[in-house]
Amino acid sequence: MTFKEQIQQGIPTTLPNPKPYETQINHAPKRKEILLDDEKKLAIRNALRYFEPQHHATLAPEFLAELNTYGRIYMYRFRPDYEMKARPISEYPGKSEQAKAIMLMIQNNLDYAVAQHPHELITYGGNGAVFQNWAQYLLTMKYLSEMTDEQTLTIYSGHPMGLYPSHKDAPRVVVTNGMMIPNYSKPDDWEKFNALGVTQYGQMTAGSYMYIGPQGIVHGTTITVLNGFRKIKTTPTGNLFVTSGLGGMSGAQPKAGNIAGCITVCAEVNPKITHIRHSQGWINEVIENIDELVTRVRQAKENKETVSIAYLGNVVDVWEKFDEENLHIDLGSDQASLHNPWAGGYYPVGQSFEESNRMMAENPELFKQKVQQSLRRQTDAINKHTAKGTYFFDYGNAFLLEASRAGANIMAANGIDFRYPSYVQDIMGPMCFDYGFGPFRWVCTSGKPEDLQKTDDIACQVLEELAKTAPTEIQQQMQDNIQWIKGAQQNKLVVGSQARILYADAEGRIKIAQAFNDAIAKGEIGYVVLGRDHHDVSGTDSPYRETSNIYDGSRFTADMAIHNVIGDGFRGATWISIHNGGGVGWGEVINGGFGMVLDGSADASRRLESMLFWDVNNGISRRSWARNEGAVFAIKRAMATQPLLKVTIPNTVDDAILDLL
């Protein structure tokens, strides 16, 4: 069968042969044993819904074996034989070009060069899934190949519920992931209901088909590192950034450190993923001996090098050893997947990678104790460094939250706040999000590098023109992103699809998108998919990350994210998504996103202007109402350019009046 025929086939009527478990692939760890015997039968019954009754006797024991061996039913037998990658849009079957673009984006999320655990359909973060099993993937791709521009496909936590009549301005796909009743959003609830096959963790851009490989997080990390050094009034040159995690977020941190121009030490316990990131060029060196690491870092400081070093070992050892050696760390953070601390997101110090994997599956309670002991040790070591002048920030991975739950010395003197800020509180929130700057991204569906180069050039030209008249308040953001886009090609950031990201406000996004649409209309480039990270101005309500610099008491509400996805849906997005869970954990965040296909048409021009304006200004409005000064400035500026925009502006209260109460 051809590739197109396999897509159109969906779930095959004849069972394919079982597939061997490929040990060279980076696999998800075994999930904890959480289902009772009757619940296991229910999980198998749920899985068998996808298959004709004549296959049930064959598949039932196979699915039980998967459930017992891996803690989930992945349906490995049904994994496609074709190469998993984003193809040019012309190679996909279908009646709708928009649907073909979505197929391209789904396959990009599962590309072996992109996905963290491709055979388990997990893109990043340890549990950020595109689908729960391979039957869902096959059926979704079949539906997309049949869809017209008068239909909408609904995706229910990975399950394609079906195609419904709609209209050309409606989203082609509506995605929800993990939308639980609030009292059922504890970590073990995810373990149980995911094992039953009724919900999934879509992370932020995995389950919404908008992950573009590591460059998305590389750009955000670069902006964060640059502004982190500005925060402490020093330059990156010859100075040290220490962090951890090369798996779920790829090699973003060391690559960003190189772009920023500092020395980066990133610890990782997984040997396979460490050497993969080294071979991919995301890190410069790998060191396994802690004493050798100390010597190498001293040399790099003395020579004022720009270098990224992966330490194959536990980051706790790094923090403790650098303290003993009085080796000064300028910036410190962590990007282990602590939203997922008990299932492979964080590995405790003092144990091997293999020992930890066995323990989390066979003795999860002891593993939890080890993780919490390790978090307390790591916090103690970090505290020693910050007493010497290190600037430490939480990088939105729930480190502060899980450390506090472990009883670590992480709380501020008032007993309410954390000792250290989230990077959004100190850096991204006041410097970027409040002004409407966030991660705007695009994908060239032709698959041609020359199309990406043309879009880079277009975006750069737009930004340079806007910078000429931009107010002082946003000049730094403009210049950082002009510098970024000029260096994007040289930094070789493309993994998988021909994609790019930069930070822009509503005006910048709209003008860049219009310029793309014009170039498509002229035949200069192929179709372009627009999107963004959910980690943005208005897509996500996350009290310990995206909305951590909201101080009016509303940071634990999620109205903004819900408003965002509804508004995007009726303003012209090609697909929309809303998720429970993301980078900080299940039950800790609600986040939404979109995708939009530009085809050079007048309809695309109309939709992009309406939707992108809302997508950004919805968040600025909320941040303005919280009395964030930058957002008040930004929303007033937006109202001055759009007469139909009228936003309630807050009045401020003199503190002296409240002090009298």
Side-chain angles (χ1 to χ4, degrees), residues 204 540-543 546 579-591:
M204 304 193 83
T540 297
D541 280 299
S542 180
E546 283 77 6
H579 308 235
N580 167 24
V584 295
W586 181 260
E588 305 286 356
V589 53
I590 300 294
N591 68 81

Side-chain angles (χ1 to χ4, degrees), residues 398-468:
F399 174 81
L400 297 177
L401 184 62
E402 287 304 330
S404 70
R405 290 170 174 169
N409 183 15
I410 202 71
M411 304 308 294
N414 63 12
I416 300 171
D417 299 317
F418 293 127
R419 181 190 290 256
Y420 304 112
S422 155
Y423 74 118
V424 174
Q425 282 178 286
D426 261 17
I427 300 171
M428 301 304 284
M431 296 181 180
C432 294
F433 292 170
D434 284 353
Y435 290 100
F437 281 79
F440 178 58
R441 55 178 60 168
W442 64 88
V443 176
C444 297
T445 67
S446 67
K448 297 177 180 177
E450 56 266 35
D451 274 14
L452 183 61
Q453 178 68 68
K454 289 174 184 175
T455 60
D456 284 348
D457 294 341
I458 290 168
C460 189
Q461 290 165 13
V462 170
L463 291 180
E464 288 182 325
E465 189 61 31
L466 289 173
K468 292 176 182 177

Side-chain angles (χ1 to χ4, degrees), residues 54 129 207 253 255 263 292 363 368 423 449 454 502 650 657:
Q54 66 264 28
Q253 297 177 102
K255 175 68 83 171
I263 302 160
E292 183 184 338
N363 195 343
K368 182 176 181 178
Y423 74 118
K454 289 174 184 175
L502 56 75
I657 293 174

Side-chain angles (χ1 to χ4, degrees), residues 479-543:
Q479 295 307 320
D480 281 349
N481 283 282
I482 290 168
Q483 178 183 344
W484 162 267
I485 201 70
K486 284 182 174 179
Q489 294 281 336
Q490 297 93 295
N491 288 316
K492 298 180 180 179
L493 298 165
V494 170
V495 177
S497 60
Q498 293 294 317
R500 187 68 73 226
I501 185 172
L502 56 75
Y503 270 40
D505 61 5
E507 181 184 25
R509 299 183 205 203
I510 290 168
K511 290 193 173 180
I512 291 170
Q514 287 285 19
F516 289 169
N517 203 50
D518 291 344
I520 296 166
K522 295 173 185 174
E524 295 171 357
I525 57 174
Y527 289 5
V528 171
V529 172
L530 302 181
R532 59 163 167 74
D533 195 344
H534 298 198
H535 170 62
D536 198 4
V537 180
S538 64
T540 297
D541 280 299
S542 180

Side-chain angles (χ1 to χ4, degrees), residues 633-645:
F633 166 85
I635 204 63
K636 286 181 177 178
R637 183 167 175 253
M639 285 192 285
T641 63
Q642 172 50 272
L644 295 178
L645 178 66

Side-chain angles (χ1 to χ4, degrees), residues 8 31 37 93 221 290 372 447 449 549 552 574 579 587 608 648 652:
Q8 292 168 319
R31 306 304 183 182
D37 288 343
T221 306
I290 194 76
Q372 292 192 320
N549 71 317
D552 68 349
T574 307
H579 308 235
L608 75 86
T648 309
T652 56

